[in-house]
Amino acid sequence: MKKLINNLLFLSLFIVALSFTSCQEEFEEIGGDDQETLVAGSTTAKLIENTSTNDGSFDNIVDGASCFAVNFPYTVEVGGIQITIDSKEDLHLIEEIFDEFDDDEDILDFLFPITITLGDFTEIVIESTEQLRELAAECREGGDDDDIECIDFVYPLTLFTFDVNEQQTGTVTVNSDKELRRFFAGLGENDLISIDYPVTLKKYDGSEIVVDSNAELAMALETAKDECDEDDDNDFNDDDFDEERFDFCLTECPWLVREVVRDDVDQTDQYLEYLMTFSEDGSVTVKDREGNVLNGEWSVRFTDRGPLLTLAFDTLVDFNLEWLVYEVGDHKIKLSAEGGNKIIMKQLCEDDDDGDSNPDTLREILKECEWIIKKVENQGEEIDRLLGFEFKFMADGVVTLSDGITTSEGTWEVGLNDENIPSLLISIGAEGAVSFDWPLRDLDNARLKFEVEEVDYELVLQRVCDDNAGDEDVAEIRNIMLGGLWNVASLMDEGMDETADYAGMDFGFSMFHQVEVSVNDDPIAAGLWRVIRNKDNELKFYLNLGDDDTFGDLTEAWYIGEVTSDRIELIYEDENINSKTLVFEKKV
């Protein structure tokens, strides 16, 4: 077999060499200095152009087209979240957000206008989704574009131009793909050029080669065309499977069933948290929630569409299909088949599941008491209007979010995300800021922190049981605040005295955590207040009057300093050591 492969390799190289021998008329020597010219419309010139073409495949996740790229920066909305994309690294954030949600409807919307750059580095302003789709449709399907990505020129390069009499007319130095491509774009089909050799080329694996002639350059570029996977297909999330890697990933650890849809009917409730284990011998076992074990077989074949996984069980008929593997890796596998069929599973390895990170632990803690929002951050911006709102997580999967008067209702569940981290999935249609798959980062019985650092998403919850009804200090402070109108006697913000901003305003604290601000008995603002004891046994005063210019400085989770029957001092200090002091005094 080894001898056969060597013979085939020799034959292929011989054919390539022969093809370039037959094309030697493309290269012509000028004068006696061994300087070769190149016809601008030749095959070799086309290889040079294709190697210097702008690669548009790196951002297929946003535009679905390999023949152009979207210019940075731009803003997209994905999963209800707006993200500004400033670099190639930011594109990973989009895939991470797609992977937070267990469905294949990965919808992304641009905030137009945007600018795109074509393969020849021409820029076009795009004003709408329809215009973008029309251009994307003109790209070649299946990733069969012309650009050569597996090898690059090492710049600078020096090129010479010639007139029809083969006399040198100029010298051009290019320092980038863009300059090289623009140089060729300005040439006529029959113009003559030459290249100052030697030329260094850098291959996809980081190695470099040096060529000393047009023929060597042409052979190096032609050979490199198929040396690597350019990943030009528009299915950015296919992970470029190979059989060995796929089999290892499938059999490495058991898989937990998260979603099953068969013939457009959602069967998730029936199969949720079934555990599927694949063995290298082609057998597969499924353990149901009662511990019963069901046996079957699996096999896989690879096609241009991707791996096709066949499952065959005697009893689990909803799993018996040949499934297209839409995505595999990062602890998740997604299977789909025509006719509205889908299975989504998450990988569960033994060393990923320890006591405090068990989803059951998080699920039980959430149901025990109410949870107050201490912080919500979306893409680095704090959502102050939700400070102090109360979550109630019910056993039937219903969640409510309330400010004491108005209540929104939605659903919640706990499961493992792609990193096998317990995550809280909240869906409240009326409140998109908290509707997210929140990975747990810090857990104790009184405080929960959920965070996605890559996109600056954070949710911090403080546990409050029975509204701290049994805490005498909390009850006393609440009674004091309910005992009349209050005025801002002092607000010092980072050393700045802002007390005068609230002159003439009366603050009335009432039942159901409501606060109203009035001037001469005319209401001008309303919000939420709470007095609670936190996990560190500290008394906190939550005040939420929104985030506008007037009341934004008052909206904080304050520490309670001193309290008397007619005066309360509140202190705020954040992680950046920004400090504020707020004093309310009872109106006389």
Side-chain angles (χ1 to χ4, degrees), residues 79 97-103 332 334 425 435-437:
I97 292 174
F98 281 165
D99 290 343
E100 287 291 334
F101 300 96
D102 283 343
D103 62 60
K332 178 183 290 185
K334 293 183 178 182
L425 177 60
S435 297
F436 196 64
D437 192 351

Side-chain angles (χ1 to χ4, degrees), residues 318-518:
D318 287 331
F319 290 74
N320 289 349
L321 267 181
E322 184 174 61
W323 301 90
L324 172 66
V325 181
Y326 169 80
E327 179 184 340
V328 66
D330 295 328
H331 304 292
K332 178 183 290 185
I333 188 168
K334 293 183 178 182
L335 313 177
S336 65
E338 294 181 359
N341 299 288
K342 176 171 64 175
I343 297 176
I344 296 174
M345 297 185 290
K346 291 187 176 181
Q347 200 168 38
L348 188 64
C349 296
E350 289 182 3
D351 56 358
D352 294 327
D353 190 13
D354 58 11
D356 283 345
S357 64
N358 191 307
D360 292 335
T361 302
L362 175 59
R363 193 176 292 114
E364 292 307 312
I365 289 175
L366 285 167
K367 291 186 295 184
E368 285 177 357
C369 295
E370 296 78 45
W371 294 85
I372 306 302
I373 293 179
K374 184 178 183 294
K375 182 180 181 181
V376 182
E377 187 174 288
N378 288 181
Q379 207 175 346
E381 180 181 355
E382 286 199 40
I383 312 299
D384 289 334
R385 60 182 176 79
L386 294 177
L387 179 71
F389 276 53
E390 178 189 82
F391 276 118
K392 287 185 178 180
F393 298 95
M394 266 72 89
D396 57 359
V398 174
V399 61
T400 60
L401 179 65
S402 176
D403 63 358
I405 297 295
T406 304
T407 300
S408 301
E409 187 174 293
T411 61
W412 73 283
E413 62 176 288
V414 172
L416 297 173
N417 72 356
D418 293 343
E419 300 172 348
N420 275 349
I421 296 173
S423 299
L424 171 61
L425 177 60
I426 300 174
S427 178
I428 299 178
E431 191 47 77
V434 296
S435 297
F436 196 64
D437 192 351
W438 297 97
L440 179 66
R441 301 301 180 187
D442 185 20
L443 178 151
D444 64 34
N445 289 335
R447 179 182 178 273
L448 297 172
K449 179 180 178 180
F450 305 87
E451 187 175 24
V452 184
E453 292 183 357
E454 296 80 2
V455 289
D456 290 330
Y457 265 60
E458 186 176 354
L459 174 65
V460 181
L461 303 180
Q462 175 70 50
R463 186 173 74 164
V464 176
C465 297
D466 299 324
D467 203 22
N468 287 139
D471 191 308
E472 294 182 1
D473 293 334
V474 169
E476 182 179 358
I477 296 171
R478 286 175 181 168
N479 287 333
I480 290 173
M481 300 308 296
L482 291 169
L485 296 176
W486 296 77
N487 303 125
V488 173
S490 174
L491 175 61
M492 299 298 295
D493 186 353
E494 288 294 294
M496 298 291 293
D497 189 344
E498 299 180 1
T499 310
D501 293 345
Y502 306 96
M505 298 183 187
D506 296 328
F507 290 74
F509 298 90
S510 60
M511 301 293 290
F512 305 109
H513 308 293
Q514 300 302 293
V515 58
E516 182 179 87
V517 185
S518 60

Side-chain angles (χ1 to χ4, degrees), residues 102-119:
D102 283 343
D103 62 60
D104 294 338
E105 300 298 323
D106 293 332
I107 298 174
L108 177 147
D109 295 309
F110 284 98
L111 271 63
F112 292 98
I114 60 173
T115 301
I116 65 170
T117 300
L118 304 181

Side-chain angles (χ1 to χ4, degrees), residues 75-110:
T75 302
V76 297
E77 184 171 300
V78 52
I81 304 163
Q82 285 192 3
I83 299 177
T84 299
I85 306 299
D86 293 305
S87 65
K88 290 183 178 181
E89 288 72 23
D90 289 344
L91 295 171
H92 296 294
L93 303 181
I94 298 176
E95 185 167 352
E96 288 170 7
I97 292 174
F98 281 165
D99 290 343
E100 287 291 334
F101 300 96
D102 283 343
D103 62 60
D104 294 338
E105 300 298 323
D106 293 332
I107 298 174
L108 177 147
D109 295 309
F110 284 98

Side-chain angles (χ1 to χ4, degrees), residues 233-248:
D233 51 77
N234 294 343
D235 184 5
F236 59 88
N237 218 8
D238 64 357
D239 294 319
D240 297 319
F241 308 112
D242 61 67
E243 187 169 358
E244 182 178 355
R245 177 171 173 260
F246 177 79
D247 287 354
F248 173 77

